[in-house]
Amino acid sequence: MRTDQHADDIGLRAAEWVARLDGSALTHDETLALRDWLAASADHRAAFEEAQSTWRELSLLRHDPGPLRACLPVRRRERIRRRAAGIGAVIAFAVLAAAAARFHFGDPWLLAVADYHTAPGELRTVTLADGSSVELGPASAIAIEFRDTERRVKFLAGEAFFSAAPRTQAEPRPVVVEAAGGTTTALGTQFVVESAGDGADVLSVQHRIEVALQQDGGKRGVVLSPGEEVRYSPEGGMGQVRTRDITSATAWRRGMLVFNGAPLRHVVETLNRYRRGRIVILDETLAERRVSGVFATHDLNDAIETMTSELGITARSVYPFITVLY
């Protein structure tokens, strides 16, 4: 019974990964987590391959069942039907459970790996063991990994305002925030880290910070002064340093969102952290169009109306789950 339960747990986890892969691209941390899970056991890889195979077969059966049934022996068809029904039910359950959990609480994967997290629309301030504080924006998450040589925080998703406790004789370890394959080291006290696609945006608010990224066997770093920001990603490398208005960039802490010629893609990524439903852009060209506006986070219907009016586009909603822009 214990063995059967263990096998069921592996099968369910494999189904969850297959369902997750059928959605948006994996984040950097999710990719590493999947790689580690597959490498941990041959049973994990076998269950994953079985779930993937069944997912493909279910797709074929759904779209063109007649020809597929005609070319298979009766016993083989019956075995596939039973296997598809069993694992298909697990996958369906995983998809529905993940969708419900994501709608109410945020990304279930983040709930499992984060020490501190927020649900969509929630703000939260946490105080760490060293006295540093972190203001988490909506749908955000961090994990704490303090070490002998540094006070490391893993930034997992969303947006966060860090107020680092300074280094002293009693506490000589630097504060280091790891995000999207790069690190931000506090040379001063305050800075913001925000998810940006597969990378991160880092803004210095008070004093200086050092942002570094390992790429192609080398390390590239920049030092930012207050009001300076840089974007980096594992694929794109370290971007150019640019200036940004700190008051506008941190307006979310006061219940406001300020966009000044921001790509619609970025605006939608931000709004999706404040809403339990999802906004989806159908057109890649539309995603790059620019949007300006000031919106109250407690009433983001106004933001959608403003965007559609300003860009001359249409929005259709299946409340409360999804809004499509086209």
Side-chain angles (χ1 to χ4, degrees):
M1 183 68 178
R2 185 182 182 88
T3 301
D4 290 343
Q5 180 61 51
H6 181 62
D8 288 344
D9 290 342
I10 293 175
L12 179 59
R13 185 59 176 151
E16 289 174 345
W17 277 119
V18 170
R20 176 67 183 85
L21 285 167
D22 195 47
S24 59
L26 297 183
T27 65
H28 176 72
D29 286 331
E30 285 175 319
T31 300
L32 295 179
L34 174 57
R35 185 182 305 163
D36 290 344
W37 187 79
L38 290 174
S41 168
D43 291 339
H44 291 184
R45 183 169 291 278
F48 181 78
E49 291 174 352
E50 179 78 359
Q52 281 189 312
S53 174
T54 300
W55 184 258
R56 289 192 294 269
E57 289 173 354
L58 286 172
S59 180
L60 288 172
L61 287 169
R62 184 172 65 252
H63 290 102
D64 192 12
L68 186 61
R69 282 198 297 266
C71 69
L72 291 173
V74 173
R75 295 178 68 180
R76 167 66 173 162
R77 293 202 307 268
E78 184 62 23
R79 186 170 70 85
I80 287 179
R81 187 191 66 78
R82 289 197 302 268
R83 187 177 68 172
I87 299 182
V90 173
I91 291 175
F93 173 78
V95 171
L96 290 174
R102 180 183 292 273
F103 180 79
H104 288 289
F105 307 110
D107 191 331
W109 180 81
L110 290 179
L111 301 183
V113 301
D115 291 308
Y116 301 100
H117 59 83
T118 52
E122 178 189 6
L123 299 178
R124 180 184 181 188
T125 299
V126 297
T127 301
L128 307 185
D130 67 329
S132 298
S133 69
V134 185
E135 296 179 46
L136 294 174
S140 301
I142 58 173
I144 310 304
E145 294 187 357
F146 280 16
R147 304 171 180 177
D148 292 340
T149 57
E150 62 186 16
R151 293 170 281 169
R152 180 170 288 249
V153 177
K154 292 189 69 174
F155 173 85
L156 302 175
E159 187 168 24
F161 185 100
F162 292 88
S163 296
R167 297 171 69 175
T168 64
Q169 188 172 3
E171 178 51 275
R173 296 175 300 171
V175 171
V176 178
V177 176
E178 175 187 334
T183 58
T184 299
T185 302
L187 306 178
T189 51
Q190 295 182 340
F191 56 96
V192 176
V193 179
E194 180 181 8
S195 297
D198 65 343
D201 281 331
V202 181
L203 170 69
S204 176
V205 175
Q206 188 178 77
H207 303 302
R208 297 184 303 157
I209 55 176
E210 181 182 12
V211 183
L213 178 67
Q214 291 282 353
Q215 189 178 39
D216 299 328
K219 179 179 179 181
R220 183 180 177 189
V222 295
V223 175
L224 303 181
S225 297
E228 291 184 335
E229 181 181 60
V230 69
R231 173 173 296 185
Y232 66 81
S233 69
E235 294 296 325
M238 186 73 69
Q240 295 295 316
V241 175
R242 59 186 184 269
T243 60
R244 188 176 180 188
D245 181 73
I246 294 176
T247 301
S248 297
T250 59
W252 57 272
R253 301 169 63 206
R254 302 179 296 278
M256 302 296 293
L257 296 176
V258 180
F259 303 106
N260 183 18
L264 181 60
R265 183 194 312 277
H266 171 72
V267 175
V268 166
E269 287 176 357
T270 302
L271 296 182
N272 279 338
R273 297 202 297 264
Y274 286 82
R275 307 169 75 254
R276 293 197 179 277
R278 303 290 294 175
I279 304 173
V280 176
I281 309 171
L282 291 187
D283 189 295
E284 285 297 316
T285 302
L286 175 59
E288 297 305 322
R289 294 184 63 182
R290 302 285 169 166
V291 174
S292 296
V294 179
F295 310 111
T297 57
H298 69 272
D299 183 16
L300 292 178
N301 289 329
D302 177 60
I304 297 175
E305 293 175 3
T306 298
M307 288 190 302
T308 55
S309 175
E310 181 177 324
L311 299 178
I313 61 177
T314 301
R316 290 288 184 269
S317 298
V318 178
Y319 183 82
F321 298 105
I322 189 168
T323 296
V324 179
L325 303 180
Y326 60 95

